[in-house]
Amino acid sequence: MADLASPVAGTRARSELSSLVRLPLSEPAWVRAALTAVALLFLAFFLVLPLIVVFAEAFREGVRLYFSAISEPEALAAIKLTLLTAAICVPLNTAFGLAAAWAITKFQFSGKNLLLTLIDLPFSVSPVVAGLVYVLLFGLQGLFGGWLAAHGISIIFAVPGIALATLFVTLPFVARELIPLMDSQGTSQEEAAIILGANGWQTFRRVTLPNLKWGLLYGVLLCNGRAIGEFGAVAVVSGHIIGLTNTMLCMSRFSTTTTPSRLPLQLLPC
């Protein structure tokens, strides 16, 4: 009994000693308070204040003018085009992100580093440059412009060009959320499922996908937010044709210098 009691007594003595002696394991209280205040001020200045300004500008002339502005035919066309672009790009990039993350983390193949580099490419290239590349490829004077014009196919200054530019810009978000998550989970669960007789689809649907649901949701939300709020690449390939190729953000950006009554549209991309 003495042998069993001695470790318990030693643990109790150490806990009592640690409660009496305060070890300097953290910063002083005033340092923590100062760092917290700096962080809160930073968030208030760069996040809360711009949101307040946007809402104040949107409702400056009243709620009636706001709803009147977003009910105009040009505004409704911009909203429909933005939602259509997001509806095209988000499912495609979600499917690509799932496939790319599955291939990169679960299999060994040549060209894996090249695939990772291509996934990260939109993070390294300016959206304006990406839009310019599409113009040089599919514009009337571009590489494929003559052939497309001869066959009556419009990409630049049309919906396909906007969708392509947005698809490129939003490409990495789902994949980059899933790759670290799937890599940390390893392949043991999938191997066990295959040993127990599951096929590839059953393994993915019942083993892999349930472990990815929150990371997948976060990646989809990021992709959707960027698709709705993309400006640089879309501004290059759209041509700002009011009622045809103006997205919500393009219309709200350019309305501040043309039509003051459309200032409430600045709230739409938020």
Side-chain angles (χ1 to χ4, degrees), residues 4-270:
L4 294 175
S6 58
V8 176
T11 304
R12 185 179 302 170
R14 285 193 295 270
S15 62
E16 292 177 355
L17 181 62
S18 62
S19 63
L20 294 175
V21 180
R22 183 178 179 182
L23 299 177
L25 299 179
S26 61
E27 299 293 337
W30 67 270
V31 175
R32 297 197 300 270
L35 293 176
T36 303
V38 170
L40 292 176
L41 287 175
F42 183 86
L43 288 176
F45 188 76
F46 288 99
L47 181 62
V48 178
L49 185 60
L51 286 177
I52 293 175
V53 172
V54 169
F55 276 87
E57 288 292 326
F59 295 103
R60 183 176 59 181
E61 302 295 335
V63 178
R64 180 176 298 179
L65 181 60
Y66 173 79
F67 286 106
S68 175
I70 65 175
S71 301
E72 294 181 0
E74 295 85 0
L76 292 176
I79 294 172
K80 291 179 182 178
L81 178 58
T82 303
L83 295 179
L84 175 63
T85 304
I88 293 172
C89 296
V90 174
L92 290 177
N93 279 332
T94 300
F96 170 77
L98 279 169
W102 173 271
I104 290 171
T105 58
K106 306 300 181 181
F107 301 98
Q108 296 294 331
F109 58 92
S110 59
K112 180 186 290 190
N113 292 330
L114 177 61
L115 180 58
L116 285 170
T117 302
L118 293 177
I119 291 174
D120 289 336
L121 185 62
F123 286 149
S124 305
V125 177
S126 170
V128 176
V129 175
L132 180 60
V133 170
Y134 281 112
V135 172
L136 295 177
L137 288 176
F138 304 117
L140 187 60
Q141 305 298 325
L143 185 61
F144 304 107
W147 185 88
L148 292 173
H151 290 78
I153 301 174
S154 299
I155 294 182
I156 301 301
F157 306 149
V159 176
I162 297 173
L164 283 175
T166 307
L167 193 68
F168 174 80
V169 172
T170 58
L171 177 72
F173 288 99
V174 176
R176 267 304 169 190
E177 287 298 322
L178 294 180
I179 289 174
L181 179 59
M182 296 178 71
D183 190 44
S184 65
Q185 292 175 352
T187 59
S188 58
Q189 296 183 9
E190 285 82 1
E191 292 172 354
I194 292 174
I195 292 174
L196 293 175
N199 56 33
W201 171 245
Q202 290 174 335
T203 302
F204 176 77
R205 184 169 58 90
R206 297 184 178 181
V207 178
T208 304
L209 194 58
N211 294 328
L212 304 177
K213 55 184 178 181
W214 298 117
L216 178 61
L217 177 62
Y218 186 58
V220 169
L221 291 177
L222 288 177
C223 181
N224 183 69
R226 183 61 188 269
I228 292 176
E230 173 55 30
F231 176 74
V234 172
V236 175
V237 301
S238 67
H240 314 302
I241 305 174
I242 297 177
L244 294 177
T245 62
N246 247 0
T247 60
M248 287 194 297
L249 193 61
C250 289
M251 191 170 183
S252 64
R253 289 287 183 90
F254 290 104
S255 66
T256 58
T257 58
T258 57
T259 311
S261 63
R262 289 179 184 164
L263 281 172
L265 293 177
Q266 294 178 353
L267 188 59
L268 288 176
C270 298

